[in-house]
Amino acid sequence: MRLVFLYSELMPDRVAVFRMLVKLYAAEVHVVYWDHHGRKTPYTMDAIDGVTLYKRSEYGFARIYQLLGTVNPDAIYVVGWMDHTYLPEL
């Protein structure tokens, strides 16, 4: 199972979810996260086998779209409306 999370800030509770997805479902987890914009906490995630992190500052819409084509995820989780790059105009 391949999953992509288009996320805002990484927090410990979400990291626990990523760990469980990898452990229970052998999931391949890809997370685009805010590394600058809107950050309110200094938390940084340690490396986890099965989880690949992508800094949002390096990924605009075109690059995210390319990532989705490369990963070909089974599901995509979008954090919400706060990052309009995650929500292209159709």
Side-chain angles (χ1 to χ4, degrees):
M1 171 189 322
R2 287 180 305 281
L3 305 169
V4 171
F5 289 81
L6 301 178
Y7 218 70
S8 56
E9 292 188 67
L10 292 175
M11 300 300 282
D13 60 334
R14 295 299 162 205
V15 173
V17 171
F18 301 152
R19 287 182 199 273
M20 292 308 291
L21 288 168
V22 170
K23 181 178 179 180
L24 295 177
Y25 302 104
E28 178 183 310
V29 178
H30 299 264
V31 183
V32 179
Y33 72 99
W34 289 354
D35 55 318
H36 296 299
H37 172 72
R39 284 195 57 156
K40 295 180 169 76
T41 65
Y43 177 77
T44 56
M45 184 177 129
D46 294 329
I48 300 172
D49 288 338
V51 178
T52 305
L53 300 176
Y54 306 88
K55 294 178 181 179
R56 171 64 183 80
S57 65
E58 298 173 3
Y59 279 76
F61 174 75
R63 195 151 181 217
I64 290 171
Y65 190 77
Q66 182 181 31
L67 174 69
L68 295 175
T70 301
V71 172
N72 191 24
D74 296 297
I76 303 168
Y77 177 87
V78 180
V79 71
W81 297 92
M82 64 189 90
D83 190 329
H84 295 277
T85 301
Y86 294 159
L87 305 166
E89 293 183 34
L90 301 174

